[in-house]
Amino acid sequence: MGLDIGVESRNAEFEGDTDWDADQIRGLWTLDPQVHYLNHGSYGAVPREVGELQDQLRAESERNPMAWYRQLPERIVAARAAIAPFCGAPAEGTALVANVSAAVSTVLASLPLRPGQEIVYTDHAYGAVRLAIERAAADGARPVHLPLEAGPEEVRDRVIEAVDERTALVVIDQITSATAACLPAAEIVAACRAKDVPVLVDGAHAPGMLPVPAQGLDADFWTGNLHKWPCAPRGTGALVVAPQWRERIRPLVASWSEHAQFPLPFDQAGTLDQTGWLAAPAALEVLGRLGHDRVRRHNERLATYGQQVFCEALKVDLPPIARPAPSMRLVPLPPSVTDARALHERLFRECRVEVPVTSFGDRLFLRISAHAYNRPTDYQDAARATAALLR
C-alpha cells in the first residue's frame, strides 16, 4: 500500500536500480516477512546461507572438539586474510574481536592513563564506548559537545581545541550511532598526529557502509563491526592496530598465545564460539555477488527516500546534519513524544515496525536503516503507521 500523507506532500519517489529484484534479494535473508525491519544498524541480519554455514561449522566442532581446536588457529588466519582487505587494513595489523565495544576496552586496558591524563571524545559517542572511557579515565574523561548541525570543519576544530598536553588519547566516531552522522575522522587523525596524540577511530558502522573504511586514515587504532552492514554473524569485529602499538596491545583475557606476535594472541579465546569469524567471509561473498558498490548505492538511495517519507508523514523537517550516514538516517520526532522506550515497544507490538528511538540532547529521533532486503513499501507503511500512532 502507498502512503497517504496529504495534499502538501512532496510525494517522494524512490529512484532505485531498475534491475534490483527486491523479492528475490529479500529471500536471501530469513527475516520475518510480517515485520518492517528498519533496524539493521543495531544487530544486523545474517543471510540464510551464512547462518547455515555457521550451523555446519558448529556441528563440525561437536563431531571432534579436539580436532576442531587443533585446526582452528589456521582457519582464523584464513578468515582474517579475507576480512582485513575488506576493511582496508593489512592482515598482520588486524585482530578479530567480538565487537567494537570489546576492541575499545582492549585498547583502553593496554594504555593505562597516568595521573592527570585525559581521554577526549565527543557527546555523540556510543553509550558502551562512553562507559568504557569513563571507567578507564575516571576523572580524566573529557567529552566535547558537537552540535547536531556542526559541519566537518567545526567538528574538527572543536575536537582539536580540547586536545592539550594532558590528552593521552582521542576517541572519534567515523559514523555516529545515535545521530547517524559521518564525522571527519581522517582530518582529526591528521591534526592529532601533528600534536603527537594517538587516536582511536570507532568505525562500528563503517564496514559495508563505506568502502575500505580503515584505508588511508593513518589512525593508531581503528575498529569496526562485521555483524552490521557486512551481515556477518554477530560476535565478529575487527581491531586494526598501527605497527608502533602492536607489541602493547593484548586481549583482555590472556591465552596460551599471549607472547606471540600481534594479532595471534587474539586468535586463541578458549572455548568461545568463533564460528562467526569463520563464516564472516561467506557474508562478504553474498554481498559481493550482489555487488558491494551496488548495495551501498541502493542503501543510500533507500535511506534518503525513507527519511523523506517519514518526515513528510510526521510533518517534521529533515534534521540539520551536514554529512548524514549513507545507510542510516534520523527522523525527528514531535516534541510531544517523550518516552522513547514506550514508542519503540508500541511500534513493534501494534504496527510490526522494528525501528529504534534514539536521543541527542533533549530531542528524540527515529533512526531508520536501509539494507539490500528493504523495499520502499517498508518505509511507506511504517511511516503511515507511525503517524497514526502519534495522532
Side-chain angles (χ1 to χ4, degrees), residues 327-380:
S327 311
M328 199 166 61
R329 302 295 175 88
L330 289 189
V331 175
L333 286 166
S336 57
V337 180
T338 57
D339 191 330
R341 176 172 293 184
L343 176 59
H344 174 82
E345 292 177 352
R346 287 191 66 196
L347 281 168
F348 178 71
R349 185 176 63 251
E350 300 176 29
C351 308
R352 306 301 285 173
V353 172
E354 194 67 81
V355 62
V357 182
T358 68
S359 65
F360 184 74
D362 58 355
R363 289 296 306 275
L364 295 180
F365 304 87
L366 297 178
R367 191 197 69 187
I368 63 171
S369 295
H371 213 295
Y373 54 76
N374 288 120
R375 308 179 180 93
T377 52
D378 287 326
Y379 306 89
Q380 297 164 3

Side-chain angles (χ1 to χ4, degrees), residues 179-182 300 307 321-329:
T179 51
C182 293
E300 183 165 9
Q307 183 187 45
I321 296 175
R323 295 170 60 190
S327 311
M328 199 166 61
R329 302 295 175 88

